[in-house]
Amino acid sequence: MKSLKKAGLIKTQPRMLILDIFEAQEKKHLSTNDIYMALQRNKTPLSLGTIYRVVNQFEKSGLIQSHHFSPDNAVYELCAADNHDHMIDIRTGKIVEFHDEIIEKRQKEIAEEYGLDLVDHKFILYGYFN
Amino acid sequence: MKSLKKAGLIKTQPRMLILDIFEAQEKKHLSTNDIYMALQRNKTPLSLGTIYRVVNQFEKSGLIQSHHFSPDNAVYELCAADNHDHMIDIRTGKIVEFHDEIIEKRQKEIAEEYGLDLVDHKFILYGYFN
DNA sequence: TTGGTTGCAAATCGTTTGCATCCCG
DNA sequence: CGGGATGCAAACGATTTGCAACCAA
């Protein structure tokens, strides 16, 4: 369970509600609209404005991480200890996470070769799951 | 030199102008606004609406390829024979292309392992160039 | 009390689109 | 001539933001 206090954020009701959504959801990658609708279902609605603000604060605090798998909208997931990459089914939108040491290692070597001080990376595979 | 006819597109003045911009530019990755301004400089202005339409047609025809390196806006580049990946300087926006066989090979293996029929991929390294 | 937080609605900004006009074949 | 292409301005949709009311410490 993540801590708002540890993240340097006042413990408010909206922030707790949103954090709960992330921890309760079977789906790990949520759009602001997913969060909005989940809160509606829970009878604890919040405004979209607040959801956007909270999600941005969470990201700055390192609680969650954003992804732009589609140019249309961002999705967010709780930060995990392992840094994993993603593969996405173009038809269904299904997201599968994976971690690969060969890729991790190789990207560091490439960055080194090119004199790039590596800060972040994005590795996404798109296709169709059998 | 790319061919509009071969791409199944009528050879119109706006489309030729835009294709010329891509082929003349030292910078390979252009936003719609980059194109817009380059056309202004060339005294052959086009409306942004047309630029967006042409760029989308070019992409569907396989003449150019779009990238969303930043969530803010797309950039486009002529399709090259080699499929390369990108590293980006977070500070300057400088883009460097690279091709790596180990990555290419490994991503196919990973897709196979997970039963993903690989269609496309995105591999971007973000950091600071020395 | 008081400064940070929220709701609401308006503003932003990249991108798309409807429509009348124009141009390529 | 006829259908696709273009310019213009309006529409769109995700995200941000100004402001007044509200809540946590």
Side-chain angles (χ1 to χ4, degrees):
Chain A
M1 194 196 46
K2 304 264 182 175
S3 159
L4 288 173
K5 202 165 295 175
K6 218 179 295 176
L9 296 169
I10 300 171
K11 194 174 185 179
T12 70
Q13 195 139 1
R15 296 209 261 240
M16 286 168 50
L17 289 171
I18 294 178
L19 193 47
D20 283 350
I21 295 295
F22 275 103
E23 290 174 336
Q25 222 64 11
E26 64 303 331
K27 207 167 79 168
K28 303 180 58 177
H29 301 84
L30 304 176
S31 67
T32 47
N33 197 52
D34 289 337
I35 299 169
Y36 181 78
M37 292 188 302
L39 288 165
Q40 300 271 345
R41 279 196 299 277
N42 288 4
K43 309 292 182 202
T44 54
L46 292 177
S47 73
L48 260 178
T50 296
I51 295 173
Y52 273 104
R53 272 185 292 232
V54 169
V55 134
N56 286 337
Q57 295 158 346
F58 279 11
E59 184 170 22
K60 259 181 234 149
S61 311
L63 246 51
I64 66 177
Q65 188 180 0
S66 73
H67 300 289
H68 290 79
F69 296 140
S70 132
D72 295 341
N73 64 300
V75 293
Y76 304 84
E77 68 170 328
L78 289 175
C79 281
D82 69 320
N83 64 346
H84 55 258
D85 295 306
H86 301 84
M87 50 184 77
I88 301 174
D89 190 297
I90 300 171
R91 197 163 20 212
T92 66
K94 180 184 178 187
I95 301 171
V96 173
E97 304 181 343
F98 68 93
H99 174 84
D100 189 77
E101 265 313 320
I102 296 178
I103 297 283
E104 290 304 313
K105 177 155 165 280
R106 186 58 187 148
Q107 82 184 35
K108 281 178 198 141
E109 290 170 1
I110 295 170
E112 180 108 21
E113 272 176 41
Y114 282 81
L116 183 76
D117 185 3
L118 195 58
V119 170
D120 194 13
H121 80 275
K122 193 179 292 186
F123 187 45
I124 310 171
L125 303 181
Y126 298 91
Y128 300 103
F129 281 110
N130 302 336
Chain B
M1 193 197 47
K2 304 265 182 172
S3 160
L4 287 173
K5 200 165 297 175
K6 216 179 297 176
L9 296 169
I10 301 172
K11 193 173 184 179
T12 70
Q13 195 138 3
R15 294 207 260 239
M16 286 168 51
L17 289 171
I18 293 178
L19 193 47
D20 283 350
I21 294 295
F22 275 103
E23 288 174 338
Q25 222 63 11
E26 63 304 332
K27 207 167 79 164
K28 303 179 59 175
H29 300 85
L30 304 176
S31 67
T32 46
N33 198 53
D34 290 337
I35 299 170
Y36 182 79
M37 292 189 302
L39 290 164
Q40 301 271 345
R41 279 196 300 276
N42 288 6
K43 309 289 182 207
T44 54
L46 292 177
S47 73
L48 260 179
T50 296
I51 296 174
Y52 274 104
R53 271 186 292 234
V54 169
V55 133
N56 287 336
Q57 295 157 346
F58 279 11
E59 184 170 22
K60 257 180 238 153
S61 311
L63 247 53
I64 66 177
Q65 187 179 1
S66 72
H67 299 288
H68 289 80
F69 296 140
S70 130
D72 295 341
N73 64 300
V75 293
Y76 303 84
E77 70 171 326
L78 290 175
C79 280
D82 70 321
N83 63 347
H84 55 258
D85 295 305
H86 300 83
M87 50 184 80
I88 302 174
D89 190 298
I90 299 170
R91 197 163 21 216
T92 66
K94 181 182 178 190
I95 300 172
V96 173
E97 304 180 342
F98 68 93
H99 175 85
D100 189 77
E101 266 312 321
I102 296 178
I103 297 284
E104 290 305 314
K105 177 155 164 281
R106 187 57 188 149
Q107 81 185 37
K108 280 177 199 141
E109 290 170 0
I110 295 170
E112 179 107 21
E113 273 176 41
Y114 282 81
L116 183 77
D117 185 3
L118 195 59
V119 168
D120 193 14
H121 79 273
K122 192 178 291 185
F123 187 44
I124 310 170
L125 302 181
Y126 298 91
Y128 301 103
F129 282 110
N130 303 335

